[in-house]
Amino acid sequence: MDNFTYFSPTYFDFGRGAQAHVADLIRKYGGSKVLLHYGGGSIKKSGLYDEIVKILSDAGIPFVELGGVKPNPRNGLVYEGIELARKEQVDFVLAVGGGSVIDSSKAIAAGSVYDGDFMDFYRGKASIEKALPVGTILTIAAAGSEGSPVTVITDEETLIKKGARSDLLRPKFSILNPELTCTLPPYQTAAGATDIIMHICERYFSNTEEVEITDRMCEAVLKTVIYETPRVMKDPDNYEARANIMWSGMLAHNNICGVGREQDWASHHMEHELSALYDVTHGAGLAVIAPKWMRYVLEINPHKLVQFATRVWDIPMDENDSKATALKGIEAFEAFLKEIGMPETFADVGAKKEDIELMTDKVLRTKDTEGFYVKLKRDDVIKIYENCV
Amino acid sequence: MDNFTYFSPTYFDFGRGAQAHVADLIRKYGGSKVLLHYGGGSIKKSGLYDEIVKILSDAGIPFVELGGVKPNPRNGLVYEGIELARKEQVDFVLAVGGGSVIDSSKAIAAGSVYDGDFMDFYRGKASIEKALPVGTILTIAAAGSEGSPVTVITDEETLIKKGARSDLLRPKFSILNPELTCTLPPYQTAAGATDIIMHICERYFSNTEEVEITDRMCEAVLKTVIYETPRVMKDPDNYEARANIMWSGMLAHNNICGVGREQDWASHHMEHELSALYDVTHGAGLAVIAPKWMRYVLEINPHKLVQFATRVWDIPMDENDSKATALKGIEAFEAFLKEIGMPETFADVGAKKEDIELMTDKVLRTKDTEGFYVKLKRDDVIKIYENCV
């Protein structure tokens, strides 16, 4: 086990009707004027927008609002949000939505109290020294941004996705009401579940030895999401299954399942370039790439894939052929992704073979290899992308 | 799944040599004068005391000290600590030791900034409104107090153990260096592992349905501790096994494994009266009581014991006789406890049959039933105690 630090100070308020506590929580964490940040029309259609506006108004908490966050959130809207936050002198950012809204809110929170261009944080030119407090009301179980220190923003000009990270960006509170996710379309639900699974897999596939507790925690989340997602696909209003997935989404990304080990993240980074170019739903892009990554690294470093097969997918161990055992695990994962309606190939998500060189360039922009479970060189990245065609 | 809140803001610094960061962490959390609180001679023998004193001195952080915390910590020493903290105007309490030292430190932290008798918090007469910040350097993997909001103190006059709880008591930081646990004697190591297992079991044995994620998290910790403890018993210097157990101890009690469900706690409460009367090591007392509790409730409410058997102990499910399946799980647990050298009966820990009525009175002092998985009445509590004789 490697040395580590673990810090997850967010206050989580989970369950039916939890959004009713939002005004109390904003006050508790020092908010007196709020920027309400959200996405498209879904929270207006569902009535959540009206509910939040009423709660804030009844509580006498003034707010300004900025909607329009798109999946794979862009820096353009963040600049707008920063300007608005400064002009209106807000001291709290409330994100109502999924990971994109939360990531955009974190960017505004850090950018509005920074003298330079907030993209400095994403370009590695500055580190975040302060930020407005952020609270969230989560409406999609997927990204885990509700409990993470991370924000990912796409540069509109270059279409490059870049992340920034600071413990100051961890939400002060996150309200997780599974009811709010019941109206999510099946494709988004399945893509969210895939994202959750892959947040775990990026941590699970590691060469660090003797991290039994973190391995077991990873397997706990994986087995839960694998069990609950098909239940939700069959019955979108299944509160209990939605609840288990929603909490799994937080656990998958606040790093409680990642401590004490080297992590991989190759699939995520390869997918980021896919969704930046084609605006693919992140989880759907992962469904295309991750199994191909698994099949590719199986030939080089099979050991953790064997454990993935036996412990997560309950594949019986073939003592004479551990690689065959591992392969059955990958096949089970592929069958699962198919069952929940996720895409398999570039064609399914509108990606083009001709862009593989460009995406590979972007993946490896500042380094020679990608990932850690297997250190992928340029040729390896290209081959994995090609296997997605 | 029940609605819940989850809040665990402690900063954990885990790994070899982590105590070297203690001065930086004290400063980060606002400490300028420290009360260094510890137990008997073990930290002096091991050299940890000298190391901490040197780090604080080198960093120019003034401190006063109070040693002498005993297992099942008493209110007498807490009063001393409060007086010292006030007289010396300390603004930070550093606990160096195990759960008893941390619990005593939490009591001093809350009591020294309270106008009344600190035992009010433990007698339910007052709630904790403020407390000095507490940091910990953990030397025993067991109690989980390093990440919990709870403190348990024994009243010297009545020998009644009482708990108090506040998020203000959660340590600001906890330093977990598994190396520091390698000198722990085998009996204390095994008792610690038993305590960890039972912190999970109290949460696991629940009638709340559809909490798959928390069930799986509980099973993750249980399987880890069951795997790692015999390794440590054979090789006390096995850092990796110590590390997995130490982190499991935190996870078992900061409630990440307990959210969304009704919890039981009957075994703990019955054991508290045992250790209050006879000064039994808490984990050893649990080893005596818990299997008898399991065998007793098996007759009334077997369902979760079946899952415990199949998922935790890998007992094959007998579809024709689920109770027999569950019993095999309890037997496996008993065999495990025996293997690691834990006691089985009252005689093994010096407890007397004649005190059963008294202990039962104390367990049920303010209520009609104990526990939730099965609501034990007076007769039930007596029978479980009698089965320990």
Side-chain angles (χ1 to χ4, degrees), chain B residues 42-352:
Chain B
S42 69
I43 68 163
K44 294 203 170 166
K45 232 181 290 171
S46 71
L48 180 61
Y49 172 84
D50 289 339
E51 191 182 350
I52 302 304
V53 164
K54 185 171 185 325
I55 292 170
L56 295 181
S57 303
D58 287 353
I61 297 177
F63 66 93
V64 293
E65 59 177 279
L66 179 66
V69 181
K70 290 179 183 157
N72 306 313
R74 309 300 174 97
N75 56 348
L77 194 69
V78 174
Y79 287 119
E80 261 187 68
I82 289 171
E83 203 184 316
L84 182 62
R86 285 177 180 163
K87 188 178 134 216
E88 297 286 342
Q89 297 187 294
V90 308
D91 57 11
F92 196 95
V93 184
L94 178 64
V96 183
S100 298
V101 173
I102 300 173
D103 282 8
S104 186
S105 296
K106 288 174 176 175
I108 294 169
S112 61
V113 290
Y114 175 63
D115 284 339
D117 177 354
F118 88 95
M119 286 298 286
D120 290 353
F121 303 135
Y122 294 79
R123 290 175 186 136
K125 289 185 185 165
S127 62
I128 295 166
E129 305 287 343
K130 55 183 175 172
L132 296 181
V134 174
T136 87
I137 300 177
L138 188 65
T139 61
I140 306 175
S145 189
E146 68 275 15
S148 89
V150 177
T151 157
V152 177
I153 296 289
T154 301
D155 186 323
E156 286 180 331
E157 283 174 30
T158 60
L159 290 188
I160 290 174
K161 262 181 146 172
K162 294 287 283 179
R165 159 191 304 262
S166 165
D167 279 332
L168 295 168
L169 297 184
R170 290 189 185 265
K172 295 295 176 197
F173 67 80
S174 282
I175 291 172
L176 278 64
N177 175 357
E179 294 172 316
L180 301 179
T181 68
C182 287
T183 53
L184 204 63
Y187 187 80
Q188 297 300 329
T189 300
T194 308
D195 195 14
I196 294 168
I197 288 171
M198 287 310 300
H199 283 159
I200 293 291
C201 285
E202 303 286 13
R203 293 171 163 94
Y204 189 67
F205 289 100
S206 168
N207 299 310
T208 309
E209 290 182 356
E210 298 269 23
V211 201
E212 184 71 4
I213 182 61
T214 322
D215 273 2
R216 290 281 183 194
M217 298 279 281
C218 286
E219 290 154 5
V221 176
L222 289 173
K223 284 192 89 81
T224 302
V225 179
I226 290 163
Y227 170 69
E228 300 289 7
T229 305
R231 295 177 77 203
V232 166
M233 300 311 288
K234 284 189 198 94
D235 175 13
D237 287 327
N238 187 328
Y239 176 86
E240 302 293 359
R242 291 275 187 192
N244 278 285
I245 293 171
M246 195 170 207
W247 189 236
S248 295
M250 195 294 288
L251 293 170
H253 206 43
N254 84 332
N255 213 30
I256 192 76
C257 293
V259 297
R261 59 211 291 145
E262 190 173 65
Q263 304 182 4
D264 189 73
W265 295 97
S267 298
H268 256 75
H269 294 157
M270 290 181 65
E271 196 293 322
H272 277 174
E273 303 313 333
L274 194 69
S275 52
L277 269 192
Y278 308 105
D279 236 354
V280 177
T281 301
H282 175 52
L286 287 168
V288 174
I289 287 172
K292 282 72 171 184
W293 175 86
M294 288 180 184
R295 281 176 179 270
Y296 192 84
V297 302
L298 173 65
E299 302 301 322
I300 303 159
N301 189 9
H303 81 283
K304 211 58 182 274
L305 283 155
V306 178
Q307 185 177 320
F308 180 67
T310 55
R311 287 200 190 171
V312 176
W313 298 99
D314 297 324
I315 307 292
M317 180 71 192
D318 180 346
E319 297 293 348
N320 297 317
D321 195 344
S322 62
K323 218 166 95 177
T325 309
L327 187 59
K328 282 183 190 162
I330 300 172
E331 288 166 352
F333 182 37
E334 290 168 337
F336 169 85
L337 292 170
K338 192 166 185 174
E339 181 193 351
I340 64 171
M342 283 289 93
E344 282 181 66
T345 64
F346 265 21
D348 293 338
V349 294
K352 293 173 198 153

Side-chain angles (χ1 to χ4, degrees), chain A residues 1 4 14 210 231 240, chain B residues 1 4 14 210 231 240:
Chain A
M1 193 186 294
F4 66 85
F14 189 102
E210 298 270 21
R231 296 176 77 203
E240 302 292 359
Chain B
M1 192 185 295
F4 65 86
F14 189 102
E210 298 269 23
R231 295 177 77 203
E240 302 293 359

Side-chain angles (χ1 to χ4, degrees), chain A residues 223 305-318 321-322 324-333:
Chain A
K223 283 192 90 79
L305 282 156
V306 178
Q307 186 177 319
F308 180 67
T310 56
R311 288 200 190 170
V312 176
W313 297 100
D314 297 325
I315 307 292
M317 180 70 191
D318 180 346
D321 195 345
S322 62
T325 308
L327 187 60
K328 283 184 188 160
I330 300 172
E331 287 166 353
F333 181 37

